Amino acid sequence: MKAKCSDPESGALLYAYELNILSEEDTDRFEIHYLSCNYCFKQIKSFEQEAALLSSDSEIKEIVRVFSMNETGAKAVETEGPSTAPDRFLKKLGHYLWPDTPLVFKPALAYILILAMLLPAYYGIKKSNQNTIRPVENINLTPFRSSVAIDSPSITERDIVLSFVLEGAMPGERYHIVLETEDGRKVFQDEEFSRFDRYEIGRILLPSNKMQPGGYRLVITDPRTDPPSVIQQYSFQIAR
Amino acid sequence: MISEELLSKAKKGDPEAENEIFQYLFARFKCLVKRRVGIEECEDIAQEACMTVIEKYKNQTFTIGFEAWAHGVLKNKIGNYLQGPLQKRKKTTTDKEYRSAWVSNSREAEQDLKRQLIQCLKKIIKKNPAYARALNFVHQGYQTDEICKRIQVTPNNFYVILKRGRSMLQNCLKRGEI
């Protein structure tokens, strides 16, 4: 008759006991059972060397580790041994993030998704704020004030709206406008400028980074004449 | 198992019964001590524990069963040994010590067994990846509860995995095939 374990419930612990992976409580429980069970005693005796090698031999460990790595593939992280604090943190984070349960049960993932959605909105709002009206510096040029010196502390920090009058300008007609520095460097040029209002005033917007202190000359020519004739010229000075 | 009859005989002073109990406990105690302390001192500690059991059991009223009481005696002996001044540095057995406690004296026999075991293990883990996975966690130092959580099985199913793997190994070692 084949021998059997006298208490199968405690006897089931044998296989884990052999590998030394039982808790203290279960170890005691099994050992007490083992003292009264011939079957378990024989089982332990018959496999003791093999169990010792299985649980502690480095070559066997390596074989099992390599196999498990190949087997689990992406789950190779499990094979990295008793984890360090950063590893544990990453694993925990992964556990909270990986959607193996419905997303509503993953608050960390939900927060990250919300943040990911909010970020573009934040930058959109920020950008739209940047596009709102910014303070500008006005320079008005009229025939009566054709040579002016503008001295403002923020003249080089703000964009400049240059307003100029062209007497006899017809709405819809095109003129050639050049703004250049005293040494001939062109700051602005429009060969088909036609944006004059009914008061014969044209306006151009000049970015602050283009306008440095110094003298400037605005030349308006009529392209229809041959050769093009200068019909209005203004000069102004931006003080340091 | 130590029967009530054997115990009562020994209590009455039957030397044969007493000797039988001694031998029974000694064989088992030796195995347990080997696991916890190592091979060098296992016989001494097991013998000491058996002597204590034989000395005291006559006057003992067992509320928890003879085996549980004897186990307690043995644990005390092991505890005393580990806390002894000369053994403080050997409170835990390292892998190497643990292994050396189990392998036979013959280096060749050990190597032979290891070679066979590795061959069998290579065959088995392909057929039984669950066993390989469980073993891998064992090697990483996890306890039963943690392994069960990680491989998502109940403890009973985990023991079944270990049992199957073990019996495959035993078959392979005996017959050379799974």
Side-chain angles (χ1 to χ4, degrees):
Chain A
M1 191 176 138
K2 203 174 179 181
K4 279 192 176 177
C5 177
S6 59
D7 176 8
E9 204 178 316
S10 303
L13 301 173
L14 182 148
Y15 311 101
Y17 176 79
E18 281 181 331
L19 299 172
N20 268 350
I21 50 169
L22 284 180
S23 63
E24 192 65 28
E25 194 184 328
D26 282 342
T27 302
D28 285 349
R29 186 179 150 205
F30 176 76
E31 285 181 350
I32 291 167
H33 161 73
Y34 160 87
L35 288 179
S36 63
C37 178
N38 281 329
Y39 174 79
C40 288
F41 173 63
K42 282 177 188 165
Q43 288 290 319
I44 292 268
K45 286 287 279 183
S46 68
F47 201 66
E48 60 182 2
Q49 288 187 14
E50 290 87 342
L53 282 169
L54 264 185
S55 61
S56 59
D57 186 80
S58 55
E59 204 176 329
I60 289 176
K61 278 183 183 178
E62 185 59 21
I63 289 168
V64 174
R65 193 184 70 85
V66 169
F67 176 81
S68 296
M69 272 180 80
N70 295 337
E71 183 71 16
T72 52
K75 289 181 182 175
V77 67
E78 290 171 356
T79 65
E80 285 170 6
S83 49
T84 56
D87 284 346
R88 275 199 300 275
F89 171 74
L90 286 175
K91 276 182 190 173
K92 210 168 181 178
L93 186 68
H95 174 72
Y96 280 115
L97 291 180
W98 189 248
D100 54 351
T101 55
L103 288 183
V104 287
F105 298 121
K106 299 285 177 191
L109 181 63
Y111 287 134
I112 287 178
L113 285 176
I114 289 168
L115 275 177
M117 287 190 286
L118 283 179
L119 269 178
Y122 169 75
Y123 281 109
I125 291 167
K126 200 176 170 186
K127 202 171 178 183
S128 70
N129 279 342
Q130 283 170 351
N131 291 338
T132 54
I133 298 167
R134 291 159 58 190
V136 291
E137 200 70 35
N138 284 303
I139 299 176
N140 296 316
L141 304 172
T142 64
F144 312 106
R145 198 166 169 254
S146 63
S147 181
V148 293
I150 296 105
D151 185 8
S152 163
S154 56
I155 191 75
T156 53
E157 293 165 15
R158 292 179 178 181
D159 294 343
I160 292 170
V161 173
L162 184 66
S163 305
F164 52 91
V165 175
L166 176 63
E167 287 173 308
M170 301 293 288
E173 296 232 336
R174 297 174 194 284
Y175 297 91
H176 187 189
I177 291 180
V178 176
L179 178 66
E180 56 188 17
T181 57
E182 280 177 334
D183 54 4
R185 185 172 60 85
K186 284 180 183 170
V187 177
F188 177 85
Q189 183 173 10
D190 190 346
E191 293 181 358
E192 293 189 335
F193 187 87
S194 61
R195 297 189 300 278
F196 286 100
D197 62 14
R198 59 188 171 131
Y199 302 108
E200 301 169 343
I201 297 174
R203 289 182 183 83
I204 52 176
L205 180 66
L206 300 165
S208 60
N209 57 356
K210 282 193 174 178
M211 304 301 287
Q212 300 301 320
Y216 289 88
R217 191 167 55 241
L218 179 70
V219 180
I220 305 165
T221 52
D222 187 352
R224 286 165 298 177
T225 57
D226 191 23
S229 58
V230 175
I231 49 176
Q232 188 78 50
Q233 187 166 328
Y234 292 104
S235 60
F236 58 96
Q237 194 85 23
I238 292 178
R240 230 171 255 282
Chain B
M1 188 175 176
I2 298 171
S3 61
E4 287 292 325
E5 193 187 343
L6 189 67
L7 263 181
S8 60
K9 267 188 190 176
K11 272 186 180 178
K12 283 173 192 168
D14 183 345
E16 274 185 24
E18 218 164 56
N19 189 40
E20 198 177 325
I21 291 174
F22 187 93
Q23 295 302 333
Y24 178 92
L25 286 179
F26 181 67
R28 285 156 179 77
F29 278 3
K30 218 169 81 175
C31 270
L32 297 187
V33 180
K34 236 195 261 184
R35 300 184 72 85
R36 294 188 183 225
V37 178
I39 199 164
E40 286 167 9
E41 306 288 338
C42 72
E43 288 207 6
D44 289 349
I45 297 170
Q47 199 163 7
E48 221 175 289
C50 285
M51 293 297 287
T52 308
V53 169
I54 296 294
E55 274 169 24
K56 292 188 176 172
Y57 82 97
K58 286 177 186 169
N59 308 321
Q60 201 71 26
T61 317
F62 300 114
T63 52
I64 51 169
F66 175 73
E67 285 85 5
W69 173 77
H71 181 255
V73 171
L74 178 71
K75 273 189 84 176
N76 282 339
K77 290 286 173 198
I78 293 172
N80 290 342
Y81 170 78
L82 292 176
Q83 284 171 0
L86 294 174
Q87 298 303 329
K88 275 192 175 168
R89 66 188 170 82
K90 290 176 80 178
K91 270 188 178 174
T92 55
T93 51
T94 61
D95 277 359
K96 205 175 172 186
E97 286 166 338
Y98 176 64
R99 192 167 71 94
S100 69
W102 291 95
V103 294
S104 66
N105 293 330
S106 160
R107 193 78 191 157
E108 288 78 23
E110 180 203 337
Q111 288 301 323
D112 193 41
L113 176 66
K114 188 176 151 182
R115 198 168 44 249
Q116 282 181 33
L117 195 64
I118 287 173
Q119 279 174 356
C120 289
L121 198 63
K122 280 179 181 170
K123 290 179 192 171
I124 285 163
I125 55 181
K126 280 178 195 161
K127 289 207 170 181
N128 189 353
Y131 183 60
R133 198 150 182 247
L135 262 189
N136 190 31
F137 283 116
V138 170
H139 293 158
Q140 288 172 34
Y142 292 108
Q143 294 279 296
T144 304
D145 295 348
E146 290 168 300
I147 299 173
C148 290
K149 273 183 201 163
R150 282 171 185 272
I151 58 178
Q152 295 176 340
V153 293
T154 61
N156 281 336
N157 287 343
F158 175 60
Y159 299 142
V160 170
I161 290 171
L162 293 182
K163 185 182 177 180
R164 279 186 191 152
R166 181 189 190 272
S167 83
M168 285 169 97
L169 263 179
Q170 273 183 320
N171 281 342
C172 182
L173 288 170
K174 263 186 199 169
R175 299 174 201 159
E177 58 184 35
I178 302 169

